[in-house]
Amino acid sequence: MRDLLQRLQRWAEHRLPALTRYRRPESLPIELHRRRIYIVPTGFGLGFSVLLLVMLVGALNYANNAALLLTCLLGAASATSMLVAFRSLDGLRLGHIRAGHAVAGQRLELTLAFDSRRPRNAIRVDLGDRTLAFAIDGRATAQVKLALPTVQRGWQPLPRIRVWTSWPLGLFRAWSWLHPEQSVLVWPRAEVAGPQPHAPADDARHMRLHRGDELAALRDYRAGDPQRHIAWKASARHENLLVKDFEQPQSRPQWQLDWRRLGGLDNEARIARLARWLNEAQAQRGHYSLWLPGNEIPGGSGPLHYAHCMSALAQLP
């Protein structure tokens, strides 16, 4: 059965290339041209065509030159609108796609960069049930942001994107399909509740300074130190000015997020728990490391470190 479907697909691609040529993923950039743009009349365009036909029959029946001239002018305007709709898409290029971050089940923001060598108006992009219109002024780039639904973690290929327009009169609809050969990474969904991660005892490696109220030591004066912190009596016995230092060490434990410590859970449950621990550590601005099978991420903090850890979790088999 599978071989039969493949033979039918090859036959269709050979016999009907216009219908099947652009259903496969393509590498960026993707430029639209005349072989991949389709045009059909809209409902309003069909009604307008019927009206022109009635006007033509009436003008010929009554030999009314003025009505015949008006019918011809309206027909020429509708034909010109079809050409303008085609040219609105012809030469449009999708340069690159930038993806944001999202947890499975949420919508992931995509930024599509369209560029053109001439101005374009009223172009619309469809992705799923979302539609967004944009325009391009001259040799510029339009940044179009769309929301992509996600279901599960891991790499998710981008679906086909439809670009269309009915500008300027709404009589014809010109459209084309874009199927970029690109995938986006979806982060795992964290568990709702559970135990806290393991943090080692405080040691010198996880100590940082904080400003306290009690005197910690005397140090040399540095430019910018307030005068009220200068120890005048102690400075009189030395060649340099001495300043009261109120900075004291404060414990800053590092969370050790280790895949091996969750032996009683299946893989997806482990990933969900580690994702929750990463969220908590990021919310507390903590310092944490992550151990995964085949990937050991050293300790760090901040948004970039968090994104690195979540991306590593998302790519686990």
Side-chain angles (χ1 to χ4, degrees):
M1 185 64 179
R2 191 172 184 178
D3 294 339
L4 178 60
L5 291 177
Q6 291 178 352
R7 287 198 299 269
L8 288 175
Q9 181 180 0
R10 288 194 295 267
W11 177 85
E13 291 178 351
H14 179 71
R15 295 293 182 180
L16 305 172
L19 296 179
T20 59
R21 182 179 302 157
Y22 300 109
R23 291 182 179 272
R24 295 180 177 179
E26 309 170 73
S27 59
L28 296 175
I30 302 175
E31 184 172 354
L32 303 183
H33 51 76
R34 61 184 180 85
R35 293 183 178 273
R36 60 185 302 160
I37 299 176
Y38 307 91
I39 303 177
V40 294
T42 62
F44 174 66
L46 291 175
F48 187 76
S49 300
V50 173
L51 176 62
L52 287 182
L53 181 61
V54 173
M55 291 177 61
L56 178 61
V57 172
L60 293 176
N61 185 43
Y62 291 99
N64 191 324
N65 293 333
L68 185 61
L69 177 61
L70 177 62
T71 302
C72 293
L73 289 175
L74 292 177
S78 63
T80 303
S81 71
M82 179 175 61
L83 176 61
V84 173
F86 166 78
R87 284 181 55 81
S88 295
L89 296 184
D90 185 36
L92 183 66
R93 192 178 75 146
L94 175 61
H96 64 272
I97 299 177
R98 185 173 66 254
H101 299 296
V103 176
Q106 299 178 350
R107 290 185 176 269
L108 186 145
E109 184 180 78
L110 295 176
T111 303
L112 283 64
F114 289 94
D115 56 79
S116 173
R117 293 184 293 272
R118 64 174 185 270
R120 301 174 188 271
N121 298 301
I123 300 176
R124 291 175 171 82
V125 180
D126 291 349
L127 181 61
D129 57 348
R130 298 297 181 96
T131 300
L132 188 66
F134 69 95
I136 300 179
D137 296 330
R139 295 178 177 270
T141 300
Q143 303 288 337
V144 181
K145 295 184 178 181
L146 296 171
L148 175 67
T150 61
V151 178
Q152 59 185 8
R153 69 172 180 89
W155 290 105
Q156 176 176 324
L158 294 181
R160 289 201 303 167
I161 302 170
R162 180 168 56 187
V163 182
W164 62 278
T165 183
S166 57
W167 193 79
L169 301 179
L171 298 175
F172 295 91
R173 179 188 178 104
W175 83 94
S176 184
W177 290 100
L178 304 174
H179 197 178
E181 190 179 17
Q182 184 172 336
S183 299
V184 295
L185 187 60
V186 181
W187 288 349
R189 185 186 294 110
E191 66 177 359
V192 178
Q196 292 297 317
H198 169 74
D202 300 346
D203 55 37
R205 293 175 301 172
H206 307 128
M207 306 294 281
R208 65 183 176 90
L209 296 178
H210 77 102
R211 184 162 296 279
D213 297 327
E214 297 181 0
L215 177 62
L218 295 177
R219 58 173 175 82
D220 291 336
Y221 175 82
R222 293 194 295 260
D225 288 335
Q227 292 186 1
R228 65 177 182 275
H229 290 170
I230 297 177
W232 296 105
K233 293 183 179 180
S235 299
R237 297 190 296 269
H238 295 77
E239 297 180 357
N240 301 325
L241 286 178
L242 298 179
V243 178
K244 299 176 183 178
D245 194 355
F246 294 93
E247 291 183 341
Q248 300 175 5
Q250 181 183 22
S251 174
R252 188 184 186 185
Q254 173 175 296
W255 288 10
Q256 294 180 346
L257 310 182
D258 197 328
W259 174 276
R260 296 165 294 186
R261 297 181 183 273
L262 304 176
L265 304 175
D266 59 27
N267 288 353
E268 291 302 323
R270 291 185 184 187
I271 293 173
R273 178 158 298 177
L274 289 174
R276 180 177 63 82
W277 286 351
L278 287 173
N279 292 339
E280 293 178 357
Q282 179 65 15
Q284 299 177 19
R285 299 181 180 180
H287 198 83
Y288 52 92
S289 61
L290 179 64
W291 191 98
L292 298 174
N295 188 8
E296 184 176 357
I297 302 176
S301 61
L304 293 179
H305 183 65
Y306 172 76
H308 184 197
C309 294
M310 289 294 287
S311 298
L313 274 181
Q315 297 179 69
L316 287 175

